[in-house]
Amino acid sequence: MSHSTAEKLVYMANQIATAFSAQKHDEAVEATRIHIQKFWDPRMRSKIAEHIAHGGEGLSPIAKEALEGLQAAKAA
């Protein structure tokens, strides 16, 4: 994955997480996860999963937890 693609996806995930950050933490994580699941193309989700597999640098705590939850749900 190109560095610029990862940066763009991290930025987008963080923006989504920020939009939900006024909610309680668990609710913000869930809302972020649902938004990404519904509106991101599978290729985008695959690329951000690759970024998380390499540490998830730059992701906010809410975004990172939401994306990790998305991966866990996919694996189940």
Side-chain angles (χ1 to χ4, degrees):
M1 166 171 44
S2 74
H3 188 64
S4 62
T5 300
E7 287 177 351
K8 288 177 187 175
L9 293 174
V10 166
Y11 176 80
M12 290 170 61
N14 286 341
Q15 287 294 101
I16 296 164
T18 297
F20 294 115
S21 66
Q23 299 178 15
K24 292 179 183 176
H25 180 80
D26 290 345
E27 292 172 359
V29 168
E30 181 68 6
T32 300
R33 185 193 62 75
I34 289 169
H35 182 91
I36 290 170
Q37 177 65 42
K38 281 185 176 181
F39 299 108
W40 280 27
D41 181 274
R43 293 169 293 176
M44 294 167 69
R45 293 193 307 264
S46 177
K47 287 180 182 182
I48 198 72
E50 184 179 318
H51 180 72
I52 290 172
H54 290 94
E57 182 180 343
L59 287 166
S60 73
I62 291 171
K64 188 172 183 182
E65 192 173 333
L67 290 162
E68 289 170 344
L70 192 61
Q71 288 306 111
K74 183 179 174 184

